[in-house]
Amino acid sequence: MKQLTEVEILSLTAILTAESDALKMQRALNTIITDEDLKRQSEASILACEGRLNGLIQFIDENNVFHVQEGQ
């Protein structure tokens, strides 16, 4: 795979941050939901968000997107 540009890495970082924040918010909201149908939808949303995050993490790992250079 080609090396990602700085803009692409910044975009990937922004997506990770947004998804992570969305997951935190959804988990917090899930604790106060009392309607069973809404709670099931919320739990499905949490699973979908976790899946997207895991996919992004897998992409980063497999493609060495954030590689650490020694001495820096």
Side-chain angles (χ1 to χ4, degrees), residues 15-27 42-57:
I15 292 169
L16 279 169
T17 301
E19 287 290 346
S20 177
D21 291 346
L23 180 59
K24 290 174 193 172
M25 181 66 74
Q26 192 64 41
R27 284 182 175 158
S42 176
E43 289 167 355
S45 177
I46 289 170
L47 289 174
C49 191
E50 288 173 341
R52 287 189 300 272
L53 278 169
N54 287 334
L56 287 168
I57 291 167

Side-chain angles (χ1 to χ4, degrees), residues 51-71:
R52 287 189 300 272
L53 278 169
N54 287 334
L56 287 168
I57 291 167
Q58 182 178 355
F59 173 82
I60 289 167
D61 286 343
E62 289 177 357
N63 295 289
N64 298 318
V65 173
F66 298 115
H67 57 282
V68 177
Q69 294 177 347
E70 288 187 36

